[in-house]
Amino acid sequence: MARKIGISMPCCYILLVNLISVYSLVDQGMYRRNSYESATGSTGSFPFLMPLVSPKTPDLYLCTPIKVDPTTTYYIVGFNPNATMNTAHHMLLYGCGEPGTTKSTWNCGEMAQATAEEKASPCGPRSHSQILYAWARDAQKVSLPAGVGFKVGKDSPTKYLVLQVHYAHVDRFKDGSTDDSGVFLDYTEKPLQKLAGTLLLGTDGIIPAMKTEHMESACEITENKVLFPFAYRVHTHEMGKVVAGYRVRSNSEGIQEWVQLGKRDPLTPQMFYNVTNTEPILSGDQLAMRCTIKNTRHRITKIGPTNEDEMCNFYLMYYVDHGETLDMKYCFSQGPPNYYWSNPDTGLHNIPHIEASTL
């Protein structure tokens, strides 16, 4: 049976969901939350951390949830990671309508190979799901622009937050050591008009042996909303050379103009960086992303969750200055060999030449 733990704080009240039983993929340990840090003004900091887990399966994706107080609307305005790349390969913070399960921790590797253990997605199968924040490679704290926040709780479809940590290697846990990787969430109850959203662009696909491949995706913004981009983040595994994101818009002569939003070597700290162009993104624009991946292996490498696989992701943080954020949360393509920007059915043209050497 679940037990709800209420934590009183000077400016908010958050309900945490914790189950007495600990999932079998991790050793049982005392469930612990760090003490609340004092708020400065109307802003507080909440520690959302793994509950002293001890993963035993390499490339394990582990999730843990908290339930946000449903009587209050909160705005997350900053993310301060509590993790190192020596322990965690990467972390994602999901906003969910319901968690993927009622367990306190669970295997949430959606693309992971079949095991004897039960698995569930970070969010429930028919619930609201979006990625709010991502971290890897010792990235530093992210603070949102003044007056901008991710809305969660009462007046938001995000009723739960789910922390996902990818443990690529588990040697350090063989002696029973535990981990509390996670993120401190800076938040406020002060109503904010500028609501933040994150759009994730990515691909499926394969990279042939001993070949450099371009992994690409693009989606049109069809909702009647004005997006103000402010930060981006890139993610690949070890073979990534460069990741770039663009806003694509046709001019008065019907020629598509590609404006760079961000370009980065993915083997540098995978934090959110300021976009290189803050011009608004409008309905009818397309957002496009390319990863340059160099496969030095004598075998095909596929897109997947483990260190033996690759990934190609571009995260775009934006805000709207009135109304709600995009209903569209994800933009994925089939990737190579099936999808390229240059395919006739994409409608893309005037495509820029983007290579790792241009960094």
Side-chain angles (χ1 to χ4, degrees), residues 99-131:
T101 178
T102 57
K103 296 179 181 292
S104 63
T105 59
W106 69 93
N107 179 351
C108 54
E110 296 177 84
M111 298 180 291
Q113 297 177 354
T115 69
E117 304 289 353
E118 177 187 354
K119 296 192 296 290
S121 299
C123 299
R126 289 174 295 277
S127 81
H128 166 78
S129 172
Q130 65 174 323
I131 293 175

Side-chain angles (χ1 to χ4, degrees), residues 15-176:
L15 292 178
L16 307 182
V17 175
N18 178 25
L19 299 188
I20 296 174
S21 62
V22 177
Y23 194 47
S24 57
L25 281 175
V26 299
D27 288 346
Q28 185 164 353
M30 180 179 64
Y31 192 94
R32 179 171 65 90
R33 298 283 179 182
N34 287 1
S35 61
Y36 172 71
E37 295 184 351
S38 298
T40 301
S42 60
T43 301
S45 179
F46 179 77
F48 188 12
L49 309 174
M50 275 292 165
L52 296 181
V53 297
S54 186
K56 301 303 182 186
T57 305
D59 275 314
L60 173 65
Y61 282 65
L62 197 63
C63 279
T64 190
I66 57 173
K67 182 178 182 180
V68 184
D69 172 17
T71 67
T72 306
T73 301
Y74 303 101
Y75 300 85
I76 300 174
V77 297
F79 305 90
N80 190 6
N82 178 71
T84 70
M85 63 184 294
N86 293 330
T87 300
H89 179 270
H90 71 264
M91 301 189 300
L92 296 178
L93 179 67
Y94 286 83
C96 304
E98 294 286 341
T101 178
T102 57
K103 296 179 181 292
S104 63
T105 59
W106 69 93
N107 179 351
C108 54
E110 296 177 84
M111 298 180 291
Q113 297 177 354
T115 69
E117 304 289 353
E118 177 187 354
K119 296 192 296 290
S121 299
C123 299
R126 289 174 295 277
S127 81
H128 166 78
S129 172
Q130 65 174 323
I131 293 175
L132 303 183
Y133 169 75
W135 170 96
R137 303 188 70 88
D138 290 342
Q140 301 301 304
K141 179 177 180 177
V142 174
S143 296
L144 275 58
V148 176
F150 287 93
K151 184 169 67 171
V152 302
K154 179 181 178 182
D155 295 326
S156 167
T158 296
K159 307 301 184 185
Y160 288 80
L161 298 174
V162 174
L163 174 67
Q164 180 190 73
V165 179
H166 176 199
Y167 294 97
H169 306 289
V170 295
D171 290 346
R172 62 157 295 191
F173 300 107
K174 288 182 177 179
D175 63 356

Side-chain angles (χ1 to χ4, degrees), residues 214-225:
H214 288 150
M215 322 286 288
E216 300 167 337
S217 66
C219 289
E220 181 179 352
I221 302 300
T222 60
E223 301 172 44
N224 187 25
K225 297 172 181 178

